[in-house]
Amino acid sequence: MKKTMYEKIWESHFVHQEPGQAPLLYVDRHLMHEVTSPQAFEGLRMANRPVRNPHSILATMDHCVPTKNRDLPIADPIAKKQIETMAENCEENGLNLYDMKSPDNGVIHVVVPEHGFVHPGMVVVCGDSHTATHGAFGALAFGIGTSEVEHVMATQTLPQQKSKTMLVQVDGELSKHCTAKDIALAIIGVTGTAGGTGYVIEYAGEAIEALSMEGRMTVCNMAIEAGARAGMVAPDQKTFDFLEGKEFAPKGEHWEQALAYWASLATDEGAEYDAVLTLNAADISPQVTWGTSPEQVVGVGGTVPAPESFADKGKRLACEGALKYMDLKASTKMTDINIDYVFIGSCTNGRIEDFRDAAEVAKGTTVAKGVTAIAVPGSVHVKIQAEKEGIDKIFKDAGWEWRDPGCSMCLAMNGDELKDGQRCASTSNRNFEGRQGKGGRTHLVSPAMAAAAAAAGHFVDISKLG
Amino acid sequence: MEKYTKHESIAALMNRNNVDTDQIIPKQFLKKVERSGFGVHLFHDWRYNADGVTENPEFELNKPAFKGAKVLVSGDNFGCGSSREHAPWAIADYGFNTIISTSYADIFYNNCFKNGILAIKVDADQLQMLMDEISANEGVKFIVDLEEQQVITPAGNGFKFEIDPFRKDNMLNGLDDIGLTLKHVDKISAFEEEHKKRFPWLWAS
């Protein structure tokens, strides 16, 4: 029988199914951060259960960590407690932790690939919805809740119902200045934020194959914003080249064995998906969200839609609510929207390629008057690499703040946040009400779009930059 | 986990679609290291005035008629967004044990059942009838009967609902998922040995 990549990985991890119960799926890798894990450790302790396979876990500190003055004690006592609890839990259970002082510290979904901890064909979980990122390697990677974090630590398995499969095929070639982020947003613009619910998405087509591993991570990262728990891309030579030599990548004889297996993972020719969506990359322009849901998105050359333009009552009401919250009027050109803040970073767009893209646009510019712009590398390694390439200097010369790594303003848990009413061009993944600070207004864009907006003080159609 | 059987309770109405977990429990409350005490922060940004303490009378759940409600009726795609389990913790800690909507985000839906919350799916017409009934008679009580898989309302808008038999059994008996899985620990160990032979590099590095 012809199988999709998802089905192959599922079957190779199927442990057992009790009649009437959900199948048990084996978990190869378990990623962890300080926010969604403490209660899981608490649960294990209460039930006197050990961590079954400490070797399968890699932990970091990213959500609450300050992105400046990191040598000072953390001012927020609760964040400090979370950080300390994480360190204690990892110490007690013998887990590999990249703490705040580690040269390997950073955002979980940035540091894990840097160390080659996830390989093709694995089942990977993390108490974080953006775990989908690792599907870029041809792994089945998805977010779980804290009870499930506890379940995986205790049993190395998860009760899981099998998902449906959706192929998202992006044919053709992206135009200049369009990036993986624009693909991700354009797809969500079509599917809506619930369109992928119940599905695992496989991204394929020329435009996906042409992306770098970083770009594929960006696309898979936002599978969750399309409603899917996981997104994945078939592994190819780029995947293998990326992994080769990394700390946790297979070595020697194992490398050859692994390569042979990885090459067998791609979906069989003729295998069927439960749903198929096809886009043409050439139709995708630089994207900007206008509302409070990632599906409320248009090309930068477009305008803010009117509620009446939506036939569906729910979408019409959502548009009304979003325009009110975002303080926008229908028909306003996206390029006429002024911004107060710019954030480049996050597990969506905090990798070296993202800073290179942004620096190319930021070079020789000056941050517009009244605008605050911060660049937050996704990891210490990204930061060091960017500094080697002089990227930090480009940003600093243009008036940006160059910070230490962390999740930062993607979810504003660490003190980096918008003030009430401020408007931000952000390379993160969610534009929900209050996501970047109470009353803050978020527009999701690519790094290059963010850099252009910082210099102009409003959105800019970078496809016209030449 | 507490057993879920049958109860009669006030049904509160939130007539909104896409209620996301950032609203259910805003991120400033995620820093605790315990599981309890999140109820007071449920829907914080909508529920309280700018001072963060006094209740915003405009917010649905602050209506006196909805106080003490265990059933929450809301619009499509409830619980979308971040995977934070603090969302169902907050909902349960506030006092809700039942949600009725047309659809839920996957992760949130799973998390509900792990925390003793019955998430019931209905079709759009059924939801509209329930919403109309509550709007016309705020404070109305619904009977939710998990054993019989049915909801009964005073105006006769009752219905039967579907639920995965495994989830149902766990809820009725208040069973812990981990204990259930560990009954099969020998099967897990056997699988693991085979897995190691097939993918030795997973254990080597």
Side-chain angles (χ1 to χ4, degrees), chain A residues 338-350:
Chain A
N338 293 323
I339 51 146
D340 309 296
Y341 222 106
V342 181
F343 167 64
I344 297 184
S346 85
C347 61
T348 310
N349 280 132

Side-chain angles (χ1 to χ4, degrees), chain A residues 31-41 58-66 74 78-87 89-90 97-100 105-108 126-128 146 406-408 411 413-414, chain B residues 30-33 86:
Chain A
L31 321 176
M32 236 174 241
H33 61 69
E34 75 277 19
V35 175
T36 53
S37 65
Q39 291 89 355
F41 285 106
L58 185 64
T60 189
M61 295 169 170
D62 55 10
H63 279 58
C64 294
V65 302
I74 297 178
I78 309 173
K80 186 164 175 279
K81 176 105 190 275
Q82 273 198 332
I83 293 290
E84 288 168 356
T85 305
M86 184 86 216
N89 284 330
C90 289
L97 168 68
Y98 297 157
D99 68 15
M100 272 177 61
N105 178 255
V107 177
I108 187 76
C126 175
D128 190 289
T146 299
C407 298
S408 183
L411 80 171
M413 276 186 79
N414 71 333
Chain B
L30 303 187
K31 293 175 190 164
K32 286 168 67 110
V33 294
H86 310 66

Side-chain angles (χ1 to χ4, degrees), chain A residues 12-14 16 18 20-21 26 28-29 39 42 49 52 55 76 78 81-82 85 119 122 128-129 145-148 150-151 155 157 161 197-198 229 248 250 254 257-258 261 314 411-413 430 432-435 437, chain B residues 17 20 22-23 27 30-35 45-46 77 81-86 89 104 106-107 110-111 114-115 164 166 176-179 181-182 184-185 187-189 191-192 195 198-205:
Chain A
S12 66
H13 290 79
F14 173 85
H16 175 69
E18 200 69 6
Q21 299 185 10
Y26 191 77
D28 298 305
R29 292 288 187 257
Q39 291 89 355
E42 183 193 2
R49 287 170 176 148
R52 184 177 169 89
H55 181 81
D76 177 351
I78 309 173
K81 176 105 190 275
Q82 273 198 332
T85 305
H119 312 162
M122 281 181 169
D128 190 289
S129 57
T146 299
S147 299
E148 291 172 310
E150 184 182 338
H151 197 116
T155 72
T157 65
Q161 295 295 352
T197 303
R229 275 184 93 178
F248 296 106
H254 284 152
Q257 272 178 285
Y261 173 63
L411 80 171
M413 276 186 79
R430 291 191 174 131
F432 297 156
E433 287 184 23
R435 172 85 175 179
Chain B
N17 290 339
D20 63 72
D22 276 73
Q23 289 305 334
K27 76 233 161 220
L30 303 187
K31 293 175 190 164
K32 286 168 67 110
V33 294
E34 300 87 20
R35 278 174 190 254
D45 290 357
W46 287 340
N77 199 25
S82 146
S83 61
R84 60 189 68 160
E85 195 159 336
H86 310 66
W89 292 339
Y104 303 86
D106 286 345
I107 299 175
N110 285 330
N111 284 339
K114 291 176 198 313
N115 290 284
D164 175 79
F166 177 59
D176 157 344
D177 275 5
I178 296 178
T181 297
L182 286 175
H184 308 298
V185 71
K187 293 196 176 68
I188 296 170
S189 297
F191 176 90
E192 205 160 48
H195 206 62
R198 200 170 162 206
F199 310 112
W201 60 87
L202 295 185
W203 277 266
S205 44

